[in-house]
């Protein structure tokens, strides 16, 4: 195996797989992936992608089997606490917060059960696949409860009589609702994270890590960004600039034959909604055009 190629671990099949592959694709990576293959070869970058279970990603990176990994903060923090309990520091290093995989680790009680803050948990049995995060949460609040560690299907534990409540990942809440559970407390807010090995890399590899990071920043910036063009009365410039969401320095261009009007071009770092366009029009703007931004490099 080529020692000068970067190895990046992502989830093989699950919620993080598509958004992870999409991010790499937007960073310009072309890979060939056979179904069920463990590794995909980067055709246009010295970077190969390893497909593994998400729980294995922190170890693979910290043991230097992979240089980089894309994994949920929930998995990382659970691993960090597990290592700490065994007297080891976590050695993987988070390098970027990513804009996908958003969810939260939350406590949920069966519908119709009262909940009056963490002390309600005293003496209760709580089912979870995140025993270390839950234990940490309970310890910080000085509550003694029983942690029932499961490997999956946490949401049905109360109905099976295995627990009084659960501590599980939630994004929309529809799974909880389907299981007649009510979310009551957030234990951890989560999103996907890019982690790297603690070890120094040879310069060629390190340079590619830096390039990848820059491209990731660019991709994340443009996802929300829009390019807006409009005509406006010179007199309304101040008001119109205030209405442009998240734009720093718009370009102002004189309009041939219209001394009182200018064209304004700006990159908006937030989405531009119909309401904004309507306010701009009210302020005297015309010929409004909003375009998606494809790539950005600061
Ligand atoms: P694996 O087989 O890789 O162990 P898994 O069952 O642990 O898969 P998934 O359910 O695919 O994992 O979730 C992967 C990650 O996606 C989670 O660790 C979390 O960071 C994120 N995630 C986002 N929303 C949710 C959600 N509603 N439920 C569970 N995980 C979510
Ligand atoms: Zn997992």
């Amino acid at each position: 195996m080529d020692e000068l190629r970067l190895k990046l671990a992502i989830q093989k099949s699950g919620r993080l797989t598509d958004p992870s592959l999409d991010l790499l694709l937007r960073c310009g990576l072309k890979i060939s992936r056979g179904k069920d293959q463990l590794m995909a070869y980067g055709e246009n970058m010295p970077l190969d992608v390893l497909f593994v279970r998400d729980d294995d990603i922190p170890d693979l990176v910290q043991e230097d089997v992979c240089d980089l990994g894309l994994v949920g903060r929930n998995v990382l923090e659970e691993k960090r606490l597990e290592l700490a309990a065994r007297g080891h520091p976590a050695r993987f290093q988070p390098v970027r917060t990513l804009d996908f995989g958003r969810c939260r680790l939350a406590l949920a009680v069966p519908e119709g059960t009262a909940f009056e803050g963490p002390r309600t948990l005293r003496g209760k049995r709580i089912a979870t696949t995140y025993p270390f995060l839950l234990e940490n949460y309970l310890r910080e609040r000085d509550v003694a409860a029983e942690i029932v560690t499961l490997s999956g299907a946490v949401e049905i534990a109360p109905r099976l009589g295995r627990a009084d409540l659960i501590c599980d990942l939630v994004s929309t809440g529809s799974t909880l609702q389907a299981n007649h559970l009510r979310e009551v407390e957030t234990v951890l807010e989560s999103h996907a994270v890019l982690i790297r090995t603690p070890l120094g890399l040879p310069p060629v590899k390190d340079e590619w890590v830096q390039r990848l990071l820059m491209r990731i920043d660019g991709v994340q910036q443009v996802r929300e960004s829009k390019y807006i063009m409009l005509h406006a009365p010179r007199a309304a410039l101040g008001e119109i600039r205030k209405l442009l969401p998240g734009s720093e320095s718009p370009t102002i261009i004189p309009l041939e034959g219209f001394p009182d009007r200018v064209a304004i071009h700006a990159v908006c770092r937030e989405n531009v909604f119909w309401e904004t366009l309507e306010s701009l029009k009210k302020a005297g703007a015309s010929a409004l055009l909003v375009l998606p931004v494809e790539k950005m490099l600061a």
Side-chain angles (χ1 to χ4, degrees), residues 107-110 112-122 124 137 141 143 165 182-185:
L107 293 171
V109 299
T113 314
F115 184 85
E116 283 131 24
R119 58 195 161 78
T120 316
L121 303 170
R122 201 156 284 152
K124 295 275 165 44
Y137 170 90
R141 283 154 190 81
V143 172
L165 67 150
R182 178 169 68 95
E183 185 177 345
V184 289
E185 286 268 320

Side-chain angles (χ1 to χ4, degrees), residues 10-17 52-57 71-75 100-104 130 151 168-173 175 190-192:
I10 71 169
Q11 191 183 24
K12 184 177 169 65
S13 108
R15 291 171 202 262
L16 297 179
T17 309
V52 296
R53 285 202 55 197
D54 66 343
D55 315 71
D56 295 334
I57 294 174
V71 65
R73 176 163 181 249
N74 51 306
V75 171
F100 60 87
R102 239 174 264 276
C103 58
R104 55 199 178 274
Y130 295 87
S151 56
D168 201 9
L169 290 178
V170 187
S171 49
T172 58
T175 309
S190 189
H191 46 75

Side-chain angles (χ1 to χ4, degrees), residues 13 35 39 78 87 102 133-134 142 153 163 183 190 200 222 256 278:
S13 108
K35 223 178 147 37
M39 183 129 75
E78 177 74 4
R102 239 174 264 276
L133 280 167
L134 176 57
D142 203 19
E183 185 177 345
S190 189
V222 302
E256 186 73 20
E278 285 157 6

